[in-house]
Amino acid sequence: MNKIAIIGSGPCGLSMLRAFQQAEKNGEKMPEIVCFDKQSDWGGLWNYSWRTGSDQFGDAVPNSMYRYLWSNGPKECLEFADYNFEEHFGKPIPSFPPREVLQNYILGRAKKSDIKKYIKFNTLVTKVEVNGNQFSVTSKNKINNKISRDIFDNVIVASGHFSVPFIPEYEGMNSFPGRILHSHDFRDAEEFRNKNIVVLGSSYSAEDIALQCYKYGAKSVTIGYRNNPMGFKWPTGMKEVHYLDKLDGKKAIFKDGHIQDADAIILCTGYLHHFPFLEESLKLKTHNRLYPSKLYKGVAWQDNLNLFYLGMQDQFHTFNMFDAQAWYVRDMILNKIQPPSSEEIEKDILNWVSKEEKLEDPLQMIDFQTEYTINLCKEIDYPKIDFELIRKHFHQWEHDKIEDIVNYRNKSFSSAVTGSVAPLHHTDWLEAMDDSMDTFMKIKS
Ligand SMILES: Cc1cc2nc3c(=O)[nH]c(=O)nc-3n(C[C@H](O)[C@H](O)[C@H](O)COP(=O)(O)OP(=O)(O)OC[C@H]3O[C@@H](n4cnc5c(N)ncnc54)[C@H](O)[C@@H]3O)c2cc1C
Ligand SMILES: NC(=O)c1ccc[n+]([C@@H]2O[C@H](COP(=O)([O-])OP(=O)(O)OC[C@H]3O[C@@H](n4cnc5c(N)ncnc54)[C@H](OP(=O)(O)O)[C@@H]3O)[C@@H](O)[C@H]2O)c1
């Protein structure tokens, strides 16, 4: 029987454990599994921590989520096919929940699956090396500093790729009199009340952190994009300008000539795929894209098909795509899915990569990732879920954002699992200052 190492117990690692547990329920023999997580609890990024920089052991803090973070896509697009929201909460809930509610949902399925026994918490994987047909995995118990080395037949890298910030430098930063931080270290928009904020970037972190600062009372919010503006209809007090040229004292000078006094610069400049624990021959090297190359079916390492990566794509689809990937990996490990020849594998990867390179807009990108997920599901027994409806929801969501970026979270969508339509939230997102689960779950009066 195979011995399997899973690195990470975030949503991807939990999907992997769930996939094996479901197979066991259906009469399959469970392989020997060890899941390592350097955090003290499961849930990955969905754990909020006030910490930034390094933790109490001197290791980099992985958490990137902040207070008042709400789902940026409809929950109906990420719902698990085998554990729906209504089943978990006992009633329908609105489409855009805050972080604590989504965390509760993810962990709800995990708790029901009896999988915690496989996870070694506070255990940092420090090295993964090829050892003949197997892998040698070295880990460190962060509490007692004990180093262990074990041999595994398969390694599944589920360590996430939104924890190690990419931090560019601009002229004038050293003498800027305010605060400069990366979105990875952003924790609370209240800090920026009455301040002039410059946000750099044009993706989801830039959009959401800029809106958060606006919502919690920033004096002004100026977003500097590098290539393409997000182009939303920003409310009064927010604007989007072209690329930061330099800082001169507290003045932010942009390439389009725009000058803005700034009290803080928030770098929403993305994250690095960073795997310091993997030997070079096993290391995925990619930027944040929808189809990183060298991954067969988006999961199996082309150069060594005993190594797998989960969730390494840029993400529209999340939890149910992670499930589809985990089910697929499980079936490859259990020899239920046989990989084709290396020529076929190369052809398959190139086919997806070349399709990805031709994508022109978010709608095409959504379609691409939906098609990828449907393609995986054709070969596995992941329970039925209406991915065509999810695709439509994502298109509608894009449309809603273009129509009204401040209010898109006040919309309601139908479940692709149960068909039920979400109720509206009792408070519009812009007015909802309290993001606690207790307040969110109250019924609209
Ligand atoms: C700010 C922010 C907001 C987001 N909001 C949403 C949202 O609203 N909706 C949505 O669907 N998605 C959202 N996402 C996307 C998010 O990436 C996924 O939802 C999800 O958390 C990814 O799961 P993961 O398991 O791949 O990675 P992670 O959640 O990052 O989990 C990885 C785990 O691996 C562990 N680990 C890493 N390295 C090691 C090591 N060497 N040894 C041991 N353990 C290790 C970490 O401790 C962590 O627990 C957001 C991402 C960010 C950054
Ligand atoms: N729930 C929520 O509301 C929420 C909030 C925040 C984040 N998230 C999630 O977090 C994940 C990561 O999103 P992200 O926005 O952090 O990363 P991202 O999607 O990878 O985007 C990185 C951004 O950084 C910009 N950039 C890179 N280098 C730059 C430079 N030198 N100067 C200026 N800009 C630069 C890129 O610009 P170019 O396009 O020009 O390359 C891009 O806009 C996503 O999955 C997202 O959904 C969710």
Side-chain angles (χ1 to χ4, degrees):
M1 207 180 1
N2 281 15
K3 191 169 170 187
I4 294 164
I6 302 172
I7 304 170
S9 67
C12 283
L14 295 179
S15 288
M16 197 64 247
L17 289 168
R18 172 76 169 186
F20 277 117
Q21 185 258 353
Q22 290 299 98
E24 187 184 35
K25 232 172 106 185
N26 294 334
E28 296 283 342
K29 266 199 148 181
M30 194 76 161
E32 198 182 329
I33 298 175
V34 183
C35 176
F36 301 90
D37 204 300
K38 61 185 180 185
Q39 294 193 64
S40 58
D41 211 347
W42 52 6
L45 286 175
W46 294 91
N47 294 328
Y48 171 78
S49 172
W50 63 270
R51 286 181 188 279
T52 56
S54 48
D55 66 13
Q56 66 272 46
F57 306 103
D59 296 320
V61 167
N63 317 71
S64 297
M65 289 203 181
Y66 37 89
R67 293 181 71 188
Y68 317 126
L69 182 138
W70 296 65
S71 177
N72 62 346
K75 75 179 200 307
E76 287 75 11
C77 291
L78 52 77
E79 193 166 21
F80 299 126
D82 63 352
Y83 188 73
N84 62 67
F85 276 97
E86 212 163 323
E87 183 182 347
H88 177 71
F89 289 106
K91 62 178 184 185
I93 64 164
S95 286
F96 291 86
R99 181 200 57 78
E100 190 188 347
V101 174
L102 281 184
Q103 180 194 37
N104 193 277
Y105 170 64
I106 302 162
L107 298 186
R109 184 178 76 160
K111 282 175 192 158
K112 281 209 162 176
S113 314
D114 188 26
I115 51 179
K116 207 165 194 172
K117 59 191 178 202
Y118 298 111
I119 309 174
K120 283 188 176 175
F121 291 109
N122 290 309
T123 308
L124 173 75
V125 171
T126 54
K127 202 178 272 181
V128 177
E129 294 163 297
V130 177
N131 187 313
N133 287 334
Q134 297 172 301
F135 301 94
S136 147
V137 175
T138 309
S139 60
K140 185 181 94 173
N141 180 313
K142 294 173 61 159
I143 309 290
N144 59 19
N145 279 326
K146 192 172 164 247
I147 309 280
S148 306
R149 188 172 164 266
D150 284 299
I151 300 297
F152 292 91
D153 299 290
N154 299 99
V155 171
I156 298 156
V157 182
S159 54
H161 61 95
F162 294 128
S163 283
V164 180
F166 168 66
I167 306 180
E169 185 169 8
Y170 293 86
E171 191 186 328
M173 274 181 159
N174 272 339
S175 47
F176 179 67
R179 180 142 184 245
I180 302 177
L181 70 160
H182 188 275
S183 56
H184 173 60
D185 296 324
F186 177 88
R187 290 291 180 269
D188 189 339
E190 293 273 11
E191 179 186 345
F192 301 104
R193 191 180 290 280
N194 296 326
K195 302 255 161 75
N196 292 310
I197 306 304
V198 165
V199 171
L200 300 184
S202 54
S203 187
Y204 296 100
S205 291
E207 171 199 316
D208 195 54
I209 287 175
L211 279 170
Q212 290 270 347
C213 290
Y214 167 78
K215 178 173 168 177
Y216 287 90
K219 197 195 256 174
S220 74
V221 181
T222 307
I223 308 167
Y225 67 89
R226 178 171 60 172
N227 290 312
N228 300 303
M230 292 178 271
F232 296 118
K233 294 171 202 153
W234 302 108
T236 309
M238 288 181 74
K239 60 181 173 297
E240 212 174 353
V241 300
H242 183 218
Y243 209 24
L244 184 66
D245 189 14
K246 59 181 174 189
L247 298 169
D248 180 4
K250 68 186 310 200
K251 287 193 186 340
I253 302 169
F254 293 88
K255 297 253 189 212
D256 58 6
H258 193 93
I259 297 179
Q260 171 68 48
D261 268 3
D263 298 306
I265 314 280
I266 307 178
L267 302 167
C268 296
T269 45
Y271 293 85
L272 300 171
H273 284 67
H274 189 64
F275 310 104
F277 51 88
L278 291 175
E279 75 162 51
E280 278 310 295
S281 71
L282 304 174
K283 211 176 262 184
L284 174 69
K285 291 175 182 150
T286 182
H287 61 276
N288 191 21
R289 59 185 290 183
L290 288 172
Y291 211 93
S293 58
K294 291 187 85 70
L295 290 180
Y296 175 59
K297 296 287 175 185
V299 287
W301 183 238
Q302 186 180 12
D303 297 343
N304 182 338
L305 295 175
N306 292 321
L307 175 76
F308 300 92
Y309 284 89
L310 294 180
M312 288 303 152
Q313 296 70 15
D314 192 7
Q315 296 151 12
F316 286 96
H317 292 262
T318 53
F319 306 157
N320 43 39
M321 180 180 78
F322 302 159
D323 271 5
Q325 293 185 327
W327 258 246
Y328 197 94
V329 168
R330 177 200 69 191
D331 287 355
M332 279 186 80
I333 291 174
L334 297 179
N335 287 325
K336 290 182 161 185
I337 295 177
Q338 303 290 343
S341 67
S342 49
E343 292 74 28
E344 286 297 314
I345 286 179
E346 173 77 3
K347 218 169 105 187
D348 191 75
I349 294 175
L350 287 180
N351 180 31
W352 283 104
V353 168
S354 69
K355 269 195 206 168
E356 186 225 15
E357 282 166 355
K358 292 189 193 91
L359 301 174
E360 286 178 353
D361 59 45
L363 297 186
Q364 289 182 8
M365 291 176 192
I366 288 163
D367 291 350
F368 174 87
Q369 200 160 61
T370 309
E371 192 190 330
Y372 160 70
T373 311
I374 291 175
N375 189 277
L376 288 180
C377 287
K378 280 184 189 146
E379 292 184 68
I380 54 176
D381 67 352
Y382 190 57
K384 198 175 155 351
I385 176 166
D386 188 348
F387 279 112
E388 285 306 328
L389 182 63
I390 291 177
R391 182 209 300 268
K392 276 196 205 142
H393 284 345
F394 270 130
H395 282 218
Q396 181 62 43
W397 165 76
E398 279 291 343
H399 172 81
D400 292 344
K401 287 176 72 175
I402 291 163
E403 277 289 297
D404 189 349
I405 190 63
V406 173
N407 288 306
Y408 79 91
R409 284 186 170 101
N410 302 330
K411 302 280 180 173
S412 144
F413 291 82
S414 62
S415 165
V417 182
T418 63
S420 89
V421 178
L424 290 175
H425 189 226
H426 49 73
T427 309
D428 281 356
W429 175 80
L430 192 60
E431 310 301 324
M433 300 298 173
D434 172 1
D435 66 341
S436 69
M437 186 153 123
D438 283 352
T439 299
F440 179 78
M441 296 306 280
K442 284 182 190 146
I443 308 289
K444 189 176 171 83
S445 51

